[in-house]
């Protein structure tokens, strides 16, 4: 197993721009999601086309029409077989960048540290907002070294007027501390998404079949992981330090047991600030099944970050897995947002939500 | 000597971004001007900084007061000695990238090919204007494979509404065809600064001791390598194909002094590129500003060429026109002949202060 910070950006020798999708990785490769894929070999008219680094690129969006997504992923698999990996441990699919395919690593922490060294007068509108937002964030007690900046700001192809600010926070304690700070701080440039904005997001992510409007608004409006700073969308992306990852790659084996719906009570949400994230649960109940020792609900989609608080009763639907730890007793977990869920049709049925009386 | 297109970007193994500054280069080197230097290699509070490709970069710039330039150059030579070549044949120095330090060269031609394949509706307003301009150049008769995009347009770090659109045209023949076409074409999105605009620009920004307002306006208003497309500033850089380069790194250059000359342009064909030159006749040395030889400068010397390394003097005069210029007088010894030339815009002119004296103009009475 290898630690490599989630939310870092990697460009590959084949010209792909990938986003690191986990803090723990198998030997020989990094778990990623391709973000931009050159169109010279494969393309899809269902995907947005962008001109980046002198190349036409498709922006991979896992939420396009499923048939077109499957068609594209099939082409991807044939064209870039090295980036498509079936993990024997999971009996499931992952996008991966083999280490020998890494061209450049964009390090969010180094990037921000470089950015903050630039005299303010030389920053454009977007970078100035990032700079000012970081200055606000520093008031939480976090240091520049606890923070990073990623995606288009880091790589340099942002649009000055409308690109998001994607702030990486190193360490789960730091992330919690910052979210608490942002929830309390009063700053005229800071605002949270309105109900209307959240409902628009609900439509984009096809959440109307799994969340009523009321449920969705309850879940999202209490999170402080995204909002607006000076009318620019910001996202807080927590990542794990090497000594605090909640699982070690290779420390467990997973046997898929099919699609399931679970109800349980959250005992710990500390590991739910990161991707993949995890809620520890107790008193789980799966309809139509005998009592299983299900103790974790895991997600690969940032939409479920801090979705539930300790002691809250939740309902979740996803892939049930039997977990066989190298050391320890078998247990069960439910996983939301595996790559295969987007291809199998599970994506529209998976969710985690709080059950309110 | 080897060919390497001018106006291309080179990323070096040290993380420096350079722009090539000639079409023909000395063995093992590429003549460049450093554009962005990571601040961990060299820093100066006197120059602009930019956040590019996740690094804090220094915008290397010699167009600033000579005290600052000297300080910056001292720092540069100390921090990045491999990027300065002392060329014995020129008795001068040049910024270079040793070929062993080239990391990659973003491809202006393939970059444009890719851009032209992007559905027009998927482009932002800046890239739409770029495509519009390219289509105008194609309409001028330039083969699409002889057009490229450069700088931030190519790298993707442009700012919509602010960044210039920089196009490169491969081949002098193509370049002239484009300039002739732009001189006459009427296009709703194409706009040039008018005489009035240039006069205002002169009054607000230039105020030169070398040009009268009329001279400045004349020199600028007829150039068609800079203009506006849909209100975006554009620049067209013409570069030489391998079989049409005029420069030789084997010739011996002996600097003699700084002089003012008058002459008539007998050929302007090579004035469209950098370095470019004007073939001149009836030259007269009208003033000696400084001299490097003890024997002095013979005012009867016939100057055959006016060479420019500086883009503002590209397309500055036309065949048949009278010119006046100040620059470095050189005796050039080639395998076939010995002749004299006046050079404007060598890198050293920014350090020595000569750049402040150098100019070239078509006098207007």
């Amino acid at each position: 197993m290898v630690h490599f910070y989630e939310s870092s950006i990697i460009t590959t020798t084949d010209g792909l721009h990938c986003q690191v999708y986990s803090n723990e990785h198998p030997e020989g490769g990094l778990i990623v999601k391709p973000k931009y894929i050159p169109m010279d070999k494969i393309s899809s008219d269902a995907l947005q086309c962008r001109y980046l680094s002198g190349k036409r690129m498709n922006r991979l969006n896992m939420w396009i029409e499923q048939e077109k997504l499957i068609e594209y992923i099939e082409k991807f698999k044939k064209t870039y077989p090295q980036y498509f990996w079936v993990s024997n441990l999971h009996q499931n699919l992952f996008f991966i960048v083999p280490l020998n395919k890494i061209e450049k690593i964009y390090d969010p922490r180094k990037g921000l540290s470089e950015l903050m060294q630039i005299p303010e007068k030389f920053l454009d509108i977007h970078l100035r907002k990032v700079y000012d937002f970081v200055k606000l964030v520093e008031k939480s007690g976090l240091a520049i070294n606890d923070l990073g900046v990623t995606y288009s700001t880091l790589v340099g192809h942002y649009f000055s007027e409308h690109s998001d600010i994607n702030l990486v926070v190193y360490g789960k304690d730091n992330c919690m501390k910052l979210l608490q700070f942002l929830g309390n701080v009063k700053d005229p440039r800071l605002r949270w998404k309105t109900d209307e904005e959240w409902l628009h997001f609900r439509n984009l992510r096809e959440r109307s079949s799994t969340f009523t409007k009321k449920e969705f608004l309850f879940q999202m409006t209490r999170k402080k992981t995204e909002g607006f700073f000076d009318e620019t969308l910001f996202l807080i992306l927590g990542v794990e330090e090497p000594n605090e990852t909640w699982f070690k790659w290779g420390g467990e084996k997973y046997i898929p047991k099919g699609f399931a719906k679970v109800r349980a009570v959250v005992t710990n949400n500390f590991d739910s600030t990161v991707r993949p994230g995890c809620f520890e649960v107790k008193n789980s109940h799966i309809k139509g099944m005998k009592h299983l020792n299900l103790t974790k609900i895991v997600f690969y989609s940032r939409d479920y970050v801090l979705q539930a608080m300790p002691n809250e009763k939740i309902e979740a639907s996803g892939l049930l897995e039997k977990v066989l730890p190298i050391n320890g007793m078998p247990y069960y977990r439910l996983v939301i947002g595996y790559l295969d869920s987007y291809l199998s049709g599970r994506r529209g049925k998976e969710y985690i939500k709080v059950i309110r009386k | 000597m080897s060919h390497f297109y001018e106006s291309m970007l080179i990323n070096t193994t040290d993380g420096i971004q350079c722009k090539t500054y000639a079409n023909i280069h000395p063995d093992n080197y590429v003549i460049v001007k450093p554009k962005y230097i990571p601040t961990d290699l060299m820093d100066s509070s006197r120059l602009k900084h930019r956040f590019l490709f996740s690094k804090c970069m220094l915008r290397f710039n010699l167009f600033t007061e000579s005290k600052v330039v000297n300080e910056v150059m001292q720092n540069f030579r100390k921090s990045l000695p491999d990027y300065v070549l002392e060329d014995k044949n020129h008795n001068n120095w040049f910024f270079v990238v040793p070929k062993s330090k080239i990391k990659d060269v973003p491809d202006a031609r393939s970059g444009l090919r890719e851009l032209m394949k992007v559905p027009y509706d998927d482009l932002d307003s800046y890239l739409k204007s770029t495509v519009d301009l390219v289509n105008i150049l194609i309409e001028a008769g330039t083969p699409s494979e002889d057009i490229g995009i450069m700088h931030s347009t190519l790298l993707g770090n442009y700012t919509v509404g602010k960044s210039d659109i920089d196009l490169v045209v491969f081949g002098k023949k193509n370049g002239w065809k484009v300039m002739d076409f732009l001189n006459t074409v009427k296009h709703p999105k194409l706009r040039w600064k008018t005489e009035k605009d240039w006069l205002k620009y002169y009054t607000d920004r230039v105020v030169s001791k070398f040009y009268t307002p009329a001279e400045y306006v004349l020199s600028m208003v007829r150039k068609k390598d800079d203009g506006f497309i849909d209100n975006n500033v554009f620049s067209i850089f013409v570069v030489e194909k391998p079989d049409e380069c005029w420069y030789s790194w084997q010739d011996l250059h002996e600097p003699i002094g700084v002089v003012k000359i008058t002459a008539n342009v007998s050929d302007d064909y090579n004035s469209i590129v950098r370095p470019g030159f004007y073939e001149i006749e009836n030259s007269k040395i009208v003033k000696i500003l400084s001299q490097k030889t003890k024997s002095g400068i013979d005012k009867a010397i016939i100057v055959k060429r006016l060479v420019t390394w500086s883009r503002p003097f590209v397309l500055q005069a036309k065949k048949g026109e009278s010119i006046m210029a100040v620059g470095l007088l050189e005796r050039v010894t080639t395998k076939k002949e010995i002749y004299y030339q006046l050079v404007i815009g060598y890198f050293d002119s920014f350090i020595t202060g000569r750049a402040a004296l150098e100019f070239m103009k078509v006098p207007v009475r």
Side-chain angles (χ1 to χ4, degrees), chain A residues 165-200:
Chain A
I165 300 170
N166 295 285
L167 196 76
V168 178
V169 183
Y170 292 83
K172 286 181 279 201
D173 274 327
N174 284 337
C175 189
M176 287 293 199
K177 189 174 169 182
L178 175 60
L179 295 177
Q180 201 171 7
F181 168 79
L182 289 174
N184 294 325
V185 72
K186 299 283 176 223
D187 187 286
R189 299 173 79 181
L190 187 69
R191 79 165 176 90
W192 303 102
K193 275 187 177 174
T194 62
D195 288 359
E196 200 181 320
E197 284 161 346
W198 276 123
L199 291 175
H200 175 67

Side-chain angles (χ1 to χ4, degrees), chain B residues 53-310:
Chain B
F53 314 113
S54 80
K55 297 280 288 178
C56 177
M57 305 282 249
L58 192 69
R59 177 75 166 92
F60 193 73
N61 179 15
L62 296 177
F63 293 98
T64 182
E65 52 183 299
S66 61
K67 194 180 156 196
V68 176
V69 175
N70 275 300
E71 190 183 302
V72 167
M73 267 316 292
Q74 269 180 19
N75 193 351
F76 186 93
R77 280 178 177 273
K78 199 173 157 194
S79 310
L80 301 161
D82 294 346
Y83 291 86
V84 176
L85 172 72
E86 299 290 345
D87 185 58
K88 283 180 189 166
N89 286 358
H90 279 79
N91 281 291
N92 210 330
W93 61 270
F94 294 86
F95 288 116
V96 290
V97 173
K99 282 192 173 166
S100 59
K101 285 209 175 246
I102 295 176
K103 186 183 163 214
D104 62 74
V105 183
D107 187 332
R109 271 182 167 131
S110 76
L112 179 65
R113 261 202 314 274
E114 285 283 306
L115 173 62
M116 297 306 276
K117 287 181 198 162
V118 180
Y120 191 77
D121 289 342
D122 285 349
L123 299 171
D124 59 50
S125 60
Y126 172 86
L127 291 178
K128 276 182 179 157
S129 298
T130 307
V131 168
D132 291 341
L133 182 61
V134 170
N135 284 328
I136 292 171
L137 301 200
I138 291 171
E139 205 185 314
T142 319
S144 58
E145 62 271 21
D146 282 337
I147 309 172
I149 45 174
M150 297 149 58
H151 304 157
S152 59
T153 322
L154 177 61
L155 300 182
N157 60 319
Y158 56 85
T159 304
V160 177
K162 276 193 175 173
S163 293
D164 295 354
I165 296 169
D166 293 331
L167 294 190
V168 60
V169 172
F170 294 87
K172 283 184 279 204
K173 199 173 160 192
N174 286 326
W176 281 109
K177 208 188 287 180
V178 165
M179 293 307 145
D180 291 343
F181 182 78
L182 291 178
N183 210 19
T184 53
V185 71
K186 301 277 179 231
H187 190 284
K189 291 185 174 177
L190 207 55
R191 181 168 72 78
W192 310 98
K193 274 189 182 165
T194 62
E195 290 188 8
K196 205 174 156 189
D197 292 335
W198 280 120
L199 186 60
K200 186 172 184 315
Y201 186 82
Y202 178 90
T203 314
D204 294 348
R205 308 268 295 272
V206 182
V207 192
S208 161
K209 58 185 174 185
F210 304 123
Y211 307 94
T212 65
E215 285 167 345
Y216 184 77
V217 169
L218 170 76
S219 71
M220 299 312 287
V221 80
R222 62 187 186 165
K223 289 186 186 183
K224 299 299 175 200
D225 54 343
D226 291 322
F228 297 90
I229 178 89
D230 224 6
N231 290 326
N232 294 287
V233 176
F234 73 79
S235 296
I236 295 170
F237 299 79
V238 178
V239 299
E240 290 171 313
K241 289 186 174 181
D243 59 350
E244 56 179 9
C245 297
W246 67 272
Y247 205 83
S248 169
W249 285 87
Q250 284 154 356
D251 296 346
L252 301 178
H253 299 245
E254 186 192 342
I256 297 173
V258 180
V259 299
K260 182 192 269 187
I261 65 163
T262 57
N264 294 326
V265 175
S266 56
D267 192 346
D268 62 355
Y269 186 70
N270 290 295
S271 75
I272 199 169
V273 293
R274 174 167 59 194
F277 80 90
Y278 299 85
E279 200 81 51
I280 54 177
E281 58 190 8
N282 305 327
S283 70
K284 195 183 273 182
I285 295 175
V286 293
K287 193 174 179 184
I288 296 167
L289 286 84
S290 66
Q291 47 194 34
K292 296 204 172 189
T293 53
K294 282 181 185 168
S295 53
I297 296 174
D298 179 0
K299 277 196 167 185
I301 281 173
I302 291 170
V303 183
K304 188 182 160 187
R305 280 181 175 177
L306 196 162
V307 174
T308 175
W309 284 80
S310 173

